[in-house]
Amino acid sequence: MRDKSRVEVIIFAAIVILLAAIPCVNRDPYLLHILCLIGINIILAASLNAILNIGELNLAQTALMGVGAYASTLLVMRVGVSFWVALPIACMVTAAVSLLLSILTLRFRGAYFLLFTFLFAELVRMLLSNFCIGIFGGIPGLTNVPKPRIDLGGVLQLTFNSKLEFYYLVLVLTALTVLVLRRIDRSRTGRILEAIRQSDSLVESIGISTLKYKVIGVAVGGAFAGVAGSLYAHFVGIITPSDFSVHSVLQPVAYVVVGGMGSVFGPVVGTTFLMVLSHFFLRELGFYELLVYGIIIVLTIRFMPQGLISGPRLVASWIAERRKSLNVVRNDEAT
Amino acid sequence: MKLLEVNNITKRFGGILAVNGLDFHLEEGEILGLIGPNGAGKTTMFNMITGALSPTQGEIRFRGHRITRLKTNRIARLGAVRTFQLTNLFSEMTVLENVILGTHHKSGIGFWRSLALTRRTRDRETRDREQAGKILDFMDLSAQSEMLAGNLPHGQQRRLEVSIALAADPQLLLLDEPLQGMNQDEVSDMLSRIKKIRSSGKSILLVEHNMKAVTNICDRVVVLDFGRKLAEGPPHTVMQATAVIEAYLGTEE
């Protein structure tokens, strides 16, 4: 068990170092742009997974991302604080909003929870489009969101104007997100969330408040959705309410399902796989792009219901199975 | 001392009176059987004590606290822990992990503490692990501790369920038909374990269909029929009462 987790950490560190080295080889802005988007989507998909772990699907996850994006943007543009202050505040604001959402909705389960989060997502979109247009910018949203800047007088001055600098920022935050969520997964809290998915009546019977831990799950997910939102806003530079509508939650859901639910690495693998596929390979197909994309998702779910992350395990058990049947044949021949 | 008091409890589902003005109590250190034919209101009563249902009328006291409107997890933390009629386990976790979760509410590991990579967190986790190990020893499941709970044979799964409940360190253990689906050997094994749990200082409320088992281990029984108390007292006396025989077997024409 301990060895396995050490291997995981080593592989993870190796991948981060490799990714950090990419710009030394290739500084193509398109490549870096897509890698940044992949990073932001990994954070979003991983945050969605936190709540999927207790067996509920939060359709408001991208709406929460929108809350983070708007909070961060408004803090920078209207209040005038720096990005480095706005990011953690946006993260906390989103966590607080999702806390509120979860206290109101987690009494419901399954389809009812789904419907309430659906309504919440629509509510956020309508609020942002139609109310306080002077502040939120209405349907056209907010444009020219400033890039982050580090200004330490004479010591260091860094503007994250180019894709290269932003790439490192996204890389660091994505790695941090994965590490923190993995820690939560491995902790007692993670075990309890998993236990709630398996049998919430039993969790309740041994003196643990399932409501409390579900609220924690949603709030943790919300906090990281806020981080993704803040990064997205400052990276793309334009945010509109429709970026965060209910439809947009289907992308991260696909990432999580294809990658594999349950572990943090599932969303990472799924997001990378599907986004690399659609941005680097399927582009050539033009008209047929979405068709092929859909077929690939369906095939993955059909043949790997536990997600891509179960691939190595499937291969291993397939080999073991084959070996066993070969042995049987051999024994038959021997007798 | 009275550990559990049920005072004039009524539960109505629409037009049906599932439990009708029921009174009984459980002494500390006692094994009390709650029996009756199908539909007598046993499970309804059990669910009201454990907080799964709230009564239409009346009150339930546990260790002097009014628990009538409390949630299940609060009641469990007060010291009344239940098991389930149908097998209820964290089937994709190991046996040890199942029992460790049982110890959680006493561990002092909250959300932030669980994330901290400190010695204190590790110490508390180790303590829970040791505690869980002791319970598995007590229930003779140590050999299976690394197996997935879902892969155990039925008899051991039922033993594991009781182990999880014991891990939560209850004063009162509420067992909902713990012998269901067991063969003869498993039944007598479970009965001797229930006795052993009682001698370790815990009180037990037992809802059970198996009459032989009930007469064998209960100190007192409460017999329900149509939501009312039909009889109460030591099992042998109660079983001979004509009202009870009639409720179970019907009257002779």
Side-chain angles (χ1 to χ4, degrees):
Chain A
M1 185 95 171
R2 180 139 278 183
D3 285 344
K4 200 182 150 200
S5 85
R6 193 162 293 164
V7 169
E8 259 179 35
V9 171
I10 291 170
I11 293 177
F12 178 73
I15 290 175
V16 171
I17 291 169
L18 267 178
L19 285 171
I22 283 183
C24 304
V25 188
N26 188 344
R27 290 193 179 196
D28 175 20
Y30 179 70
L31 173 74
L32 294 179
H33 182 86
I34 299 304
L35 288 178
C36 286
L37 281 181
I38 291 179
I40 292 169
N41 275 287
I42 286 178
I43 299 178
L44 177 65
S47 79
L48 185 67
N49 191 46
I51 171 85
L52 274 172
N53 276 348
I54 58 169
E56 305 284 0
L57 174 58
N58 188 351
L59 287 182
Q61 202 67 18
T62 42
L64 289 170
M65 177 181 174
V67 170
Y70 271 85
S72 177
T73 307
L74 292 175
L75 279 166
V76 171
M77 288 177 70
R78 307 266 196 254
V79 184
V81 303
S82 112
F83 167 77
W84 310 105
V85 180
L87 174 75
I89 295 181
C91 168
M92 281 187 279
V93 167
T94 319
V97 171
S98 47
L99 207 69
L100 191 76
L101 166 75
S102 61
I103 290 169
L104 290 175
T105 55
L106 274 177
R107 296 169 193 286
F108 308 101
R109 305 207 55 189
Y112 299 97
F113 178 77
L114 213 70
L115 281 174
F116 268 95
T117 55
F118 179 90
L119 286 178
F120 182 81
E122 276 297 285
L123 185 76
V124 168
R125 191 182 63 80
M126 299 219 292
L127 270 177
L128 292 175
S129 336
N130 302 326
F131 290 84
C132 305
I133 292 176
I135 299 172
F136 294 142
I139 291 171
L142 299 164
T143 48
N144 290 328
V145 182
K147 300 281 182 215
R149 234 188 14 243
I150 297 179
D151 192 352
L152 296 173
V155 192
L156 180 67
Q157 281 193 328
L158 201 59
T159 331
F160 288 77
N161 278 333
S162 78
K163 302 287 180 207
L164 180 64
E165 285 133 358
F166 218 100
Y167 172 69
Y168 281 109
L169 176 64
V170 172
L171 181 61
V172 168
L173 284 174
T174 309
L176 268 178
T177 302
V178 171
L179 283 178
V180 171
L181 287 175
R182 177 173 177 277
R183 172 65 200 144
I184 294 178
D185 258 6
R186 295 298 178 92
S187 73
R188 183 61 69 75
T189 302
R191 298 316 293 165
I192 293 172
L193 292 176
E194 169 64 20
I196 290 175
R197 189 181 64 74
Q198 292 185 25
S199 169
D200 64 344
S201 59
L202 183 56
V203 171
E204 190 77 9
S205 83
I206 50 181
I208 302 170
S209 164
T210 48
L211 185 62
K212 175 182 155 192
Y213 276 91
K214 284 179 175 182
V215 168
I216 288 175
V218 176
V220 166
F224 284 102
V227 172
S230 170
L231 267 178
Y232 177 82
H234 294 274
F235 176 66
V236 178
I238 305 168
I239 49 172
T240 67
S242 62
D243 291 345
F244 309 110
S245 68
V246 179
H247 312 284
S248 56
V249 86
L250 295 178
Q251 276 300 336
V253 168
Y255 298 153
V256 175
V257 170
V258 167
M261 281 181 254
S263 131
V264 199
F265 297 108
V268 175
V269 172
T271 311
T272 314
F273 174 71
L274 286 180
M275 286 190 73
V276 165
L277 203 67
S278 72
H279 287 286
F280 294 116
F281 296 105
L282 298 183
R283 274 284 134 87
E284 325 295 322
L285 298 173
F287 192 63
Y288 299 100
E289 181 189 335
L290 280 177
L291 188 67
V292 177
Y293 185 75
I295 290 174
I296 290 174
I297 293 182
V298 170
L299 288 180
T300 323
I301 296 172
R302 169 64 185 79
F303 292 105
M304 290 177 151
Q306 309 287 316
L308 289 174
I309 200 173
S310 68
R313 211 172 48 226
L314 281 181
V315 172
S317 69
W318 182 75
I319 291 174
E321 199 80 349
R322 259 195 88 89
R323 216 174 259 160
K324 215 191 280 167
S325 61
L326 277 180
N327 278 344
V328 170
V329 173
R330 249 179 240 143
N331 289 344
D332 284 352
E333 281 167 1
T335 49
Chain B
M1 206 196 87
K2 287 178 183 172
L3 191 62
L4 180 77
E5 291 169 77
V6 172
N7 297 328
N8 194 24
I9 285 287
T10 297
K11 178 69 187 181
R12 197 186 282 277
F13 293 111
I16 297 165
L17 266 176
V19 174
N20 188 1
L22 192 61
D23 284 292
F24 69 90
H25 74 275
L26 184 146
E27 296 284 334
E28 204 165 343
E30 152 176 81
I31 301 183
L32 178 72
L34 195 58
I35 60 173
N38 282 329
K42 302 183 301 284
T43 301
T44 308
M45 192 58 239
F46 192 87
N47 284 336
M48 285 191 282
I49 297 172
T50 55
L53 288 174
S54 53
T56 315
Q57 238 175 59
E59 69 160 13
I60 303 170
R61 286 180 173 276
F62 175 65
R63 288 166 58 204
H65 301 275
R66 217 185 123 103
I67 57 168
T68 322
R69 311 243 166 242
L70 294 185
K71 292 180 105 187
T72 307
N73 73 75
R74 273 295 284 134
I75 296 172
R77 271 181 309 211
L78 281 172
V81 178
R82 69 169 298 179
T83 63
F84 294 83
Q85 197 170 42
L86 302 173
T87 307
N88 196 344
L89 292 163
F90 305 124
S91 49
E92 293 159 45
M93 294 189 187
T94 67
V95 169
L96 183 64
E97 282 176 314
N98 269 272
V99 182
I100 287 177
L101 282 172
T103 67
H104 173 78
H105 82 93
K106 291 223 160 180
S107 68
I109 302 178
F111 171 61
W112 295 107
R113 157 98 20 243
S114 81
L115 302 189
L117 291 160
T118 57
R119 167 144 229 165
R120 199 141 140 222
T121 309
R122 265 206 312 277
D123 284 350
R124 289 184 184 182
E125 280 174 354
T126 319
R127 200 182 54 199
D128 286 354
R129 187 172 286 268
E130 282 164 1
Q131 179 62 24
K134 274 184 212 156
I135 287 164
L136 287 177
D137 279 341
F138 183 77
M139 296 295 282
D140 283 326
L141 281 170
S142 311
Q144 286 79 22
S145 68
E146 292 305 320
M147 275 177 73
L148 286 187
N151 294 343
L152 292 178
H154 180 73
Q156 290 181 359
Q157 286 189 338
R158 302 245 74 169
R159 242 192 283 159
L160 176 56
E161 293 181 280
V162 176
S163 312
I164 298 170
L166 278 182
D169 195 22
Q171 268 183 290
L172 173 62
L173 189 61
L174 301 129
L175 301 173
D176 194 358
E177 305 206 11
L179 307 176
Q180 203 178 51
M182 283 187 167
N183 65 34
Q184 203 54 55
D185 290 343
E186 287 168 337
V187 166
S188 59
D189 175 73
M190 183 57 97
L191 289 181
S192 68
R193 280 173 208 287
I194 293 175
K195 281 185 196 157
K196 220 168 106 190
I197 293 168
R198 189 261 293 272
S199 9
S200 75
K202 303 197 184 301
S203 317
I204 291 163
L205 178 73
L206 182 71
V207 170
E208 190 46 68
H209 263 340
N210 187 328
M211 278 308 139
K212 226 169 99 192
V214 171
T215 28
N216 183 337
I217 66 166
C218 289
D219 302 311
R220 280 193 312 131
V221 294
V222 171
V223 189
L224 300 187
D225 191 29
F226 294 112
R228 286 176 168 283
K229 185 161 74 180
L230 208 58
E232 181 179 2
H236 291 287
T237 341
V238 166
M239 294 305 171
Q240 276 145 24
T242 41
V244 176
I245 296 169
E246 275 172 18
Y248 273 94
L249 303 174
T251 41
E252 259 179 89
E253 293 294 316

